[in-house]
Amino acid sequence: MDVRHVQITGGSSFMITLPKEWANSVGLNKNDTINVQAQPDGTLLLFPRGVQPLAQKRTSKSIDVTDVTDLKFIYRELIGAYIAGHTTIMVKSAQPMSKELTSVVSSFVQTAMGLEMIEADESHILIANLIEHEAIDMKKIVERMGSLVKNNVKDVYHAVQTGDYSRIGNMAVKDSEINRIYWLTHRQYNMYQKNLTSLTKDGPSMLKFTGCLFLSRVLEGIGDHVVSVSKFILGIKGGGSPIKLDPFVAELGERIIANLDLSIKSWINLDIELAHQAIKEADELVIDAERSMVGNLKSSERSSLNAVLELFTIVVAEYCKYISEFSFSASME
């Protein structure tokens, strides 16, 4: 670390000299201006006018698929390039691309937010991001994600109790909306890390951005479990009729939906009272669901769905605790 001594000029102004090597590397000359920005942690960020922060520069990622036959691997490469924050993604091949490969790229573009396929032929596909990074409010998109996850959990219990399975028949499609918000949140977090000028004294801190990323990851995990439970229900449903649930399991469903809502609210408002209440109720849910499972293991009349939903309650309750515990810590900032 380069240490500079503070000097006083004119009797009241504080002054330090700039490292010559750095000044030369950014092309700084006499009478040039430098932006000075105070950071939430008390440090100063200096950058010459006309020099773009890394996150504002246009970057491109090239993916060569010539010898790649695993389409899932290619899909994950595309997701990784998107999350890394590249402005454009070039998919290229020395051989004509197969219809299957083109379909995978097209599916990715349709799923990820803000992307368009602007060039395409048999040897290359150029994908461009059209969303302005600074225009996105991470907290609002994560709040929307929470609303989607909560509604999907509600749909699971509604389907079982009413026999209306239409709400969970396309759960994988609805979950893709949750995934695309998670990708965008992760991308935004990486962009903010590259561009500290986004963090102003009165604006959001990196802790808040970390909280958005953390919550989106937890919600994405709950969404995946909802998809798995929905597949199980669709596999055992009988002719569109309701599936018999233990009254206590149905009650657990109502309680876990309320707990998820409370946990998300505790994060949105950074309310330690709500967070504490949500953690307490989640602990009680886990205890009650475990006791119910153990007490009914030997019952031959008990359906497997009851056990699956009890386990689902335990998993979601643990996720809710993660959210509320983070809310508690973040509120102490």
Side-chain angles (χ1 to χ4, degrees), residues 86-107:
H86 293 293
T87 312
T88 59
I89 303 172
M90 173 68 78
V91 182
K92 61 182 182 179
S93 175
Q95 304 169 355
M97 296 186 192
S98 66
K99 290 183 179 179
E100 292 78 12
L101 174 57
T102 303
S103 177
V104 165
V105 177
S106 177
S107 175

Side-chain angles (χ1 to χ4, degrees), residues 5 23 26 63 110 125 133 136 185 195 197 203 218 233 246 258 307 320:
H5 293 285
V26 297
I63 299 176
Q110 292 172 18
I125 298 174
H133 157 68
I136 297 175
T185 305
N195 181 13
T197 61
V218 171
I233 294 171
D246 287 349
C320 288

